[in-house]
Amino acid sequence: MQWASVLSVGTRLRLALAMLAVLFATLDDALLTGLPWILLVITLDLAASGFEYLSSSGRAIGRVQLMVLFGASAAAAGIAMGYAGPWSKVLILIPAYHAGARFARRGALMVFVVGLLTGGGTLVVTKEYSEGEVQRILLASVFALVFGLLGAWSHRMQVEEDEAVVDPNIAAEAGLLLRRLHELAETLDTGFDAPASAEMALQDLATQMRAARSAILVGYGDDPAVPLAIRGADRTPWPDPMEASSVLARTWREGVPTLSEWADDLVARSVIVVPLNDNNGDRLGLLVADRPLVTPFTEEDLVAAGEVASRHAANIDLSVLFAGLRERAGLEERERLAREMHDGIAQEMVALAFGIDSLRRTARNTESPLADDLDGLRVEVSRVLADLRLHIADLRIAVRPDTGLGALIGARLQNFGSTSGVTTRMHLSENGFRLPAHTEVLIYRLFLQVLADARHSLNADTVEVRLNVAAPRVELWVAHNGTSSLGIRDFSEHPLTSLGGEIVVEPYAGDGVAIRMRMRARGASPSATLSNERIPQPS
């Protein structure tokens, strides 16, 4: 009887009613005459169950077909009530319960009316009319109505119970999700590496058409565009898509593929722009390709680019979201450390400073020879406390769409200059395109590393910063004129090197040091010019 465990409660109840009808027919010595009616009602009920299964599987099965089946089953049960013996009154309960569970009160009422009319009509046709028989048919029909309403109520309770059975443990759900993401990462060729996923899309595009320059730009909603991968250039050559006059603006705003001409470059170009959409159909980025106008793209090229975007959009979306999740986890850990330092050792240092102040006051009042030493100790504690506060501020990195890398470095440099008295200078050049958030955080941390070296130096009085961002190309130069402890060994395994960055340590102003970091797109030419692009020739 293991098969019974996989049946629903409603199905088992209807089968039990059919078996009860068979039992009553056997006791009434009417099994042979009653079996065809029982099988007919069961067959119609099973057909309705099959239609329900097809409907839940997405097939185009309407409510009318189901209602007709329930009506036919009720009519068969009603004819059996008027034609057969008392045992037949049980059959009307089978379609009543099923129709009530499927169509609620409307289904139960339909079975009641059909059963009553067909049962009464059968009595008239067979001329077996009697007051007792009419009362039995009426009672069976009313009981079927009540039974159908019970079916509707039980079905509603089951639905509410299924909806309520949700794991309230969000951490458990997150654990399941992360384990599934880990399994998916092992099956993908590029894992969850967003630039690698973008490069695969550009490689796929290159097999479909010839393009001098191509790129994958990512930006959700109102976020700035971030170049994940670029070919044929070291920096993004097109205007910011958030500018109304940009050749990328229409696709960025409306999410429609465009094939246009762009005359604002050194050479007039034919440009294809195709949106990358997520599972909800919202724009997550752009696939862009161009080449000289002497060999313009065709509508077939636009269709092919759209197919490439459709094939790779899901991988790029997943990689970017996973990178954001990983970066958020790191930032939350840094925020936790900053909070613990602020509430722990920083407060203890402040209490220690207050204690030293009390001792200084006592020493001054008693003209103790320790007064000068306590003054020096108080100055040193103030320096350590200021250094600790700067470390806490460094841990609280917040890279947001409205706060670019240049603004973040500029604010931190200004804060450093105001608290330390060191002269600071900064030269900044940024375009409208942004670097990936995790890249900006790594560059900022590199800047903080050099700034900490200047803070620990005893003779540094000048810090100079130059930042040039033309995404995905970026160059950072940070220098100070104090005695430095930094060397090339300190940056040999820096995370930026795994992203294509080059870090060089140079001397600066005698004992000082200068750190230069350059980063280009993967596979880009070391040259910053576009003279190495491959211009397609007319076929």
Side-chain angles (χ1 to χ4, degrees):
M1 297 295 290
Q2 294 181 354
W3 57 270
S5 61
V6 301
L7 298 178
S8 65
V9 176
T11 302
R12 281 182 280 180
L13 180 59
R14 298 197 305 273
L15 289 177
L17 291 173
M19 296 301 296
L20 187 62
V22 171
L23 177 62
F24 287 166
T26 303
L27 295 177
D28 200 28
D29 293 332
L31 181 60
L32 295 180
T33 58
L35 194 59
W37 296 105
I38 298 174
L39 293 178
L40 177 59
V41 174
I42 293 177
T43 302
L44 292 173
D45 184 76
L46 292 177
S49 300
F51 270 63
E52 285 186 276
Y53 174 79
L54 293 177
S55 178
S56 63
S57 302
R59 305 290 182 86
I61 304 298
R63 296 167 59 90
V64 177
Q65 291 93 326
L66 280 175
M67 188 67 80
V68 169
L69 279 175
F70 288 137
S73 182
I79 295 174
M81 285 194 300
Y83 179 78
W87 62 267
S88 61
K89 308 305 184 287
V90 179
L91 292 178
I92 192 65
L93 302 180
I94 297 176
Y97 186 91
H98 200 173
R102 183 64 176 82
F103 294 105
R105 289 174 295 180
R106 183 183 305 175
L109 184 60
M110 183 270 296
V111 173
F112 165 77
V113 173
V114 172
L116 182 61
L117 294 178
T118 54
T122 303
L123 286 180
V124 174
V125 172
T126 58
K127 298 180 180 181
E128 296 182 2
Y129 178 85
S130 66
E131 184 177 354
E133 191 66 16
V134 171
Q135 290 178 350
R136 283 192 289 270
I137 292 178
L138 179 59
L139 182 61
S141 300
V142 172
F143 193 72
L145 177 61
V146 175
F147 211 62
L149 294 177
L150 289 175
W153 176 74
S154 64
H155 179 71
R156 185 173 65 253
M157 294 293 292
Q158 181 65 35
V159 171
E160 293 176 355
E161 181 181 354
D162 293 341
E163 292 177 351
V165 179
V166 177
D167 186 4
N169 193 341
I170 300 177
E173 296 180 4
L176 293 175
L177 177 60
L178 289 177
R179 278 192 290 271
R180 180 57 180 157
L181 288 175
H182 180 71
E183 296 174 359
L184 290 174
E186 294 180 347
T187 61
L188 296 176
D189 294 336
T190 59
F192 289 142
D193 186 4
S197 299
E199 287 172 3
M200 288 186 63
L202 295 185
Q203 178 62 33
D204 191 4
L205 181 69
T207 62
Q208 303 294 324
M209 66 191 71
R210 296 180 299 170
R213 303 179 300 199
S214 57
I216 296 292
L217 311 178
V218 172
Y220 295 86
D222 297 330
D223 293 348
V226 176
L228 284 187
I230 188 169
R231 288 191 171 195
D234 287 314
R235 62 187 67 188
T236 310
W238 309 282
D240 184 357
M242 301 185 76
E243 299 177 1
S245 59
S246 173
V247 70
L248 314 178
R250 184 187 175 194
T251 306
W252 186 265
R253 292 194 311 266
E254 303 176 12
V256 295
T258 58
L259 173 59
S260 58
E261 298 178 1
W262 182 40
D264 295 338
D265 202 10
L266 297 177
V267 178
R269 295 183 176 273
S270 177
V271 183
I272 280 180
V273 189
V274 177
L276 296 166
N277 297 323
D278 58 16
N279 294 333
N280 297 325
D282 299 327
R283 183 259 304 155
L284 66 93
L286 302 177
L287 185 153
V288 188
D290 74 4
R291 66 190 187 192
L293 196 56
V294 294
T295 54
F297 289 112
T298 64
E299 291 293 336
E300 289 76 10
D301 294 329
L302 183 63
V303 173
E307 294 175 352
V308 172
S310 299
R311 285 195 295 269
H312 293 272
N315 284 347
I316 295 174
D317 185 29
L318 176 62
S319 301
V320 172
L321 292 177
F322 190 76
L325 178 65
R326 184 170 48 200
E327 188 62 34
R328 179 178 178 180
L331 293 178
E332 289 179 351
E333 178 64 17
R334 296 172 68 90
E335 177 66 26
R336 184 188 66 82
L337 292 175
R339 184 171 58 254
E340 290 183 356
M341 291 174 63
H342 178 273
D343 297 340
I345 188 172
Q347 301 300 327
E348 295 177 0
M349 290 294 296
V350 171
L352 177 62
F354 288 157
I356 294 176
D357 289 339
S358 177
L359 290 176
R360 289 171 59 205
R361 189 179 305 106
T362 301
R364 290 295 180 190
N365 293 335
T366 59
E367 297 181 355
S368 172
L370 297 177
D372 293 337
D373 293 336
L374 288 174
D375 290 341
L377 180 61
R378 182 63 175 87
V379 171
E380 185 64 18
V381 170
S382 298
R383 185 192 65 80
V384 173
L385 185 58
D387 189 59
L388 179 62
R389 287 170 176 167
L390 289 176
H391 279 299
I392 294 174
D394 292 345
L395 284 172
R396 287 172 172 167
I397 301 174
V399 179
R400 294 183 174 90
D402 57 344
T403 306
L405 180 61
L408 194 65
I409 290 179
R412 184 64 182 86
L413 186 64
Q414 182 180 11
N415 185 21
F416 174 79
S418 62
T419 56
S420 64
V422 175
T423 301
T424 59
R425 291 189 293 269
M426 182 173 182
H427 179 271
L428 174 63
S429 176
E430 280 186 307
N431 61 10
F433 293 94
R434 286 283 298 272
L435 296 167
H438 69 282
T439 304
E440 291 186 342
V441 169
L442 291 176
I443 296 174
Y444 182 63
R445 290 171 61 183
L446 175 64
F447 161 75
L448 292 179
Q449 187 175 356
V450 182
L451 209 61
D453 184 65
R455 186 169 62 246
H456 295 150
S457 177
L458 299 179
N459 56 343
D461 57 17
T462 301
V463 174
E464 187 173 355
V465 178
R466 301 173 192 167
L467 177 65
N468 184 3
V469 180
R473 181 185 177 93
V474 58
E475 182 174 354
L476 173 69
W477 184 85
V478 188
H480 69 84
N481 62 350
T483 303
S484 173
S485 61
L486 294 178
I488 189 61
R489 65 184 182 279
D490 298 304
F491 307 99
S492 59
E493 297 182 358
H494 198 277
L496 285 172
T497 59
S498 63
L499 300 178
E502 301 175 2
I503 302 177
V504 179
V505 179
E506 303 170 344
Y508 174 76
D511 294 335
V513 66
I515 309 299
R516 185 185 304 274
M517 191 282 300
R518 295 189 183 95
M519 179 177 291
R520 307 177 183 87
R522 296 183 181 179
S525 167
S527 172
T529 66
L530 302 180
S531 59
N532 63 326
E533 68 175 85
R534 180 176 63 86
I535 301 177
Q537 300 298 321
S539 56

